[in-house]
Amino acid sequence: MKNIKWILASKSPRRKELLSLVINDFEIEVSDVEEIYDKIKPEEIVLQLARLKGEAVFFNHKEDNVCVIASDTIVSIGDKRLGKPSERTECYEMIRSLSGNVHQVCTGVYIKGRINGKQVERIFSDTTDVYVRDMSDDEIYSYINEGESFDKAGGYAIQGGFSKFIEKINGSYHNVVGLPVHKVYTAVKELENLCK
């Protein structure tokens, strides 16, 4: 059986850790493309951006039996998309909007590869509902002071200190962290079977 060379098109330590649950050996190669999109719905945006990043990295590889995995995540509440906060006031406003509400975390995954001389691709998304309990201002500022907010979409990390404020989720936990592991595993097994 030929081995596939797997490449993760992300510098996120969380995605690296999650992909290691599925694939033992992979390389990391980050695309430097500008993240421009023209879609409106979160699931369409994350798929468009994941494809953009994945194709940019795949373009650099001409060898056979190579697959690139790219991903993008959006946190949204109602019609409002929440990116990564750049300063404390923005972070406070984001978390205040999540307090006592349910919001959605949508992750898109794009896999592009070449197996036995043929190009293959898989593209899919996953959405998780996250329910956050009412938070006081003191709790919000205390969490912001922990320092984990500023490189996270929505201003929080479900696997970090924010976990104590989450009442429940409906969907995949790993999807909220940054990669829907169950769906990635299914796609990876399908592609590995093509190598046999």
Side-chain angles (χ1 to χ4, degrees):
M1 176 179 169
K2 299 175 185 174
N3 290 325
I4 295 175
K5 175 182 177 181
W6 292 99
I7 299 169
L8 175 63
S10 174
K11 64 182 176 183
S12 164
R14 296 167 296 281
R15 289 200 176 107
K16 178 183 177 183
E17 183 180 345
L18 292 175
L19 187 59
S20 69
L21 299 173
V22 178
I23 301 170
N24 292 327
D25 186 28
F26 58 90
E27 298 176 9
I28 292 175
E29 187 176 328
V30 182
S31 73
D32 57 0
V33 295
E34 190 175 354
E35 296 187 10
I36 298 173
Y37 59 87
D38 57 10
K39 304 297 184 185
I40 296 174
K41 295 180 180 179
E43 60 268 23
E44 294 175 345
I45 295 170
V46 294
L47 291 176
Q48 186 175 16
L49 292 176
R51 180 188 290 272
L52 189 69
K53 292 186 272 190
E55 287 182 339
V57 171
F58 181 74
F59 181 78
N60 298 324
H61 293 272
K62 308 303 179 190
E63 69 269 36
D64 200 15
N65 296 319
V66 60
C67 286
V68 174
I69 301 175
S71 185
D72 193 80
T73 299
I74 284 181
V75 176
S76 60
I77 182 164
D79 294 330
K80 185 175 183 182
R81 292 186 295 278
L82 305 180
K84 298 175 182 178
S86 58
E87 42 83 27
R88 286 176 60 86
T89 301
E90 185 181 14
C91 189
Y92 169 83
E93 290 170 357
M94 281 188 185
I95 295 175
R96 169 54 58 210
S97 72
L98 300 178
S99 172
N101 286 314
V102 57
H103 65 275
Q104 286 69 45
V105 179
C106 184
T107 299
V109 179
Y110 179 68
I111 304 175
K112 183 159 187 168
R114 189 179 300 104
I115 297 176
N116 296 330
K118 295 182 180 179
Q119 285 200 16
V120 295
E121 70 174 23
R122 300 289 187 274
I123 187 164
F124 50 88
S125 67
D126 198 32
T127 300
T128 303
D129 294 325
V130 181
Y131 295 77
V132 179
R133 75 164 180 79
D134 281 317
M135 299 171 64
S136 68
D137 279 356
D138 285 346
E139 287 173 323
I140 293 174
Y141 284 119
S142 177
Y143 176 68
I144 292 171
N145 290 337
E146 291 178 19
E148 67 179 22
S149 299
F150 296 100
D151 67 337
K152 313 287 191 307
Y156 76 91
I158 192 173
Q159 72 278 21
F162 200 75
S163 60
K164 59 184 169 283
F165 304 116
I166 294 177
E167 292 181 338
K168 65 177 180 176
I169 66 170
N170 181 13
S172 165
Y173 166 82
H174 291 119
N175 182 58
V176 182
V177 179
L179 201 66
V181 172
H182 62 300
K183 289 189 174 183
V184 172
Y185 176 77
T186 299
V188 164
K189 299 316 285 183
E190 286 177 1
L191 294 173
E192 286 181 341
N193 286 335
L194 296 178
C195 252
K196 292 180 179 179

